[in-house]
């Protein structure tokens, strides 16, 4: 499928956090000039440990349907030039989301916001979707605001005019992860944001060279680390607009990736790669 037919797809379950995720997805669709698809799956109301909102909450079915319609209307007012498609399906959530991911540039899911140092819990179903989706899956915390992805303003100017915060890429020495590296560079480019790459000091210097040539307008800053890169990634994500991590195709996120997902200070993109 050609990329011009892809969408940014977000799961809607009637919770506040799924609506916050939809708002993030709308901005991403606008940045990438792609349609936005709002998807509610299943015939039952959301249950504890639900898929779209990774939260322990029960949402009545009527509220879910109303929320889907309300989200489409509110987002159409906020982004009048955006092509918005709202769809319901009786297919259970996990297979519906995985099928939607095939046609998506990015699949977006909401999550409960962080609670102190414990981070936010990520349900097994959501991790399962992130582990099996064919396309990048972005997990957006509840309460995420448009200004959170931009440099704070101090002169009274509109937050929407501020530059974007950096995109952070966690990269291991596997030089064949072109899908992961390409997603991070492209995401930084559409935001005109710098790209910070955290990697082991053993990463070959040639790994990023072709990508620097392909994206000459993107400022790249490397953060080589000796040992576990996790602490540096968490530190860097606290001042980032998006954290990008990889997972091998056919495998779920490993322990390190799950820790980053739970504790990152910004939305997290999980990108499959060979």
């Amino acid at each position: 499928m050609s990329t011009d037919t892809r969408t940014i797809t977000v799961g809607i379950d009637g919770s506040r956090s799924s609506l916050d995720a939809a708002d993030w997805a709308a901005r991403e669709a606008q940045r990438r000039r792609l349609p936005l698809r709002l998807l509610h799956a299943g015939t039952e109301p959301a249950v504890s440990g639900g898929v779209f909102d990774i939260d322990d909450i029960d949402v009545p079915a009527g509220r879910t349907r109303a929320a889907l319609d309300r989200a489409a209307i509110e987002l159409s007012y906020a982004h009048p030039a955006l092509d918005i498609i709202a769809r319901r399906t009786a297919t259970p959530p996990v297979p519906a989301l995985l099928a939607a991911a095939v046609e998506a540039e990015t699949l977006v899911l909401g999550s409960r916001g962080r609670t102190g140092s414990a981070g936010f819990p990520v349900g097994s179903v959501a991790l399962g979707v992130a582990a099996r989706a064919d396309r990048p899956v972005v997990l957006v915390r509840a309460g995420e605001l448009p200004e959170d992805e931009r440099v704070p303003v101090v002169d009274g100017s509109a937050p929407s005019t501020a530059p974007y915060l950096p995109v952070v890429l966690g990269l291991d020495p596997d030089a064949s992860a072109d899908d992961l590296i390409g997603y991070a560079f492209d995401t930084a480019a559409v935001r005109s944001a710098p790209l910070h790459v955290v990697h082991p000091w053993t990463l070959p210097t040639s790994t990023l060279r072709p990508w620097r040539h392909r994206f000459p307008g993107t400022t790249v800053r490397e953060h080589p680390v000796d040992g576990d890169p996790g602490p540096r990634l968490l530190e860097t994500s606290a001042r980032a607009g998006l954290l990008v991590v990889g997972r091998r195709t056919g495998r779920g996120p490993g322990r390190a990736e799950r820790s980053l997902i739970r504790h990152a200070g910004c939305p997290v993109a999980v990108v499959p790669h060979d």
Side-chain angles (χ1 to χ4, degrees), residues 20 48 102 116 123 249:
D20 291 338
S48 178
V102 175
T249 303

Side-chain angles (χ1 to χ4, degrees), residues 155-179:
D155 59 358
S157 58
S160 60
T161 64
Y164 283 97
L165 289 167
V167 172
V168 175
L169 168 63
L171 190 62
D172 63 28
D174 181 4
S176 66
D178 286 347
D179 289 342

Side-chain angles (χ1 to χ4, degrees), residues 133-210:
D134 292 333
R135 302 293 299 171
V137 176
V138 175
L139 303 176
V140 180
R141 297 174 303 165
E144 189 75 17
L145 299 173
E147 54 265 33
D148 292 335
E149 59 189 5
R150 293 179 181 268
V151 175
V153 296
V154 294
D155 59 358
S157 58
S160 60
T161 64
Y164 283 97
L165 289 167
V167 172
V168 175
L169 168 63
L171 190 62
D172 63 28
D174 181 4
S176 66
D178 286 347
D179 289 342
L180 171 61
I181 300 172
Y183 178 87
F185 268 87
D186 184 62
T187 299
V190 297
R191 290 164 167 76
S192 297
L195 176 63
H196 291 194
V197 184
V198 178
H199 61 77
W201 66 271
T202 55
L203 185 77
T205 57
S206 60
T207 300
L208 297 177
R209 187 177 302 144

Side-chain angles (χ1 to χ4, degrees), residues 229-230 233-234 243 245 255-264 268:
L233 279 169
L234 288 176
L243 171 62
V245 298
R255 179 180 298 178
E257 288 78 18
R258 291 196 299 270
S259 178
L260 289 170
I261 290 169
R262 289 186 174 98
H263 297 283
V268 180

Side-chain angles (χ1 to χ4, degrees), residues 15 37 49 80 90 110 125 136 152 156 191 220 266 270:
S15 65
R37 182 180 181 185
V125 175
R191 290 164 167 76
V220 181
C266 63
V270 181

Side-chain angles (χ1 to χ4, degrees), residues 41-236:
T43 58
E44 298 298 325
V47 296
S48 178
V51 178
F52 305 144
D53 173 33
I54 313 165
D55 199 354
D56 296 330
I57 184 171
D58 293 326
V59 184
R63 176 180 163 191
T64 301
R65 291 191 293 270
L68 180 64
D69 297 335
R70 184 173 67 251
I73 293 171
E74 291 179 355
L75 291 172
S76 67
Y77 279 114
H79 307 276
L82 192 59
D83 183 6
I84 300 175
I85 308 162
R87 291 182 179 174
R88 300 183 183 91
T89 176
T91 303
V94 172
L97 285 169
L98 292 174
V102 175
E103 302 177 351
E105 185 72 19
T106 302
L107 179 65
V108 183
L109 302 177
S111 69
R112 190 169 65 188
R114 292 183 301 168
T115 54
S117 60
F120 60 80
V122 181
S124 60
V125 175
L127 279 176
V129 172
R132 296 164 56 192
D134 292 333
R135 302 293 299 171
V137 176
V138 175
L139 303 176
V140 180
R141 297 174 303 165
E144 189 75 17
L145 299 173
E147 54 265 33
D148 292 335
E149 59 189 5
R150 293 179 181 268
V151 175
V153 296
V154 294
D155 59 358
S157 58
S160 60
T161 64
Y164 283 97
L165 289 167
V167 172
V168 175
L169 168 63
L171 190 62
D172 63 28
D174 181 4
S176 66
D178 286 347
D179 289 342
L180 171 61
I181 300 172
Y183 178 87
F185 268 87
D186 184 62
T187 299
V190 297
R191 290 164 167 76
S192 297
L195 176 63
H196 291 194
V197 184
V198 178
H199 61 77
W201 66 271
T202 55
L203 185 77
T205 57
S206 60
T207 300
L208 297 177
R209 187 177 302 144
W211 298 99
R212 290 176 181 268
H213 288 302
R214 190 176 301 181
F215 294 89
T218 299
T219 300
V220 181
R221 179 180 177 184
E222 296 187 50
H223 301 262
V225 295
D226 185 8
D228 180 11
R232 175 61 69 86
L233 279 169
L234 288 176
E235 176 187 354
T236 309

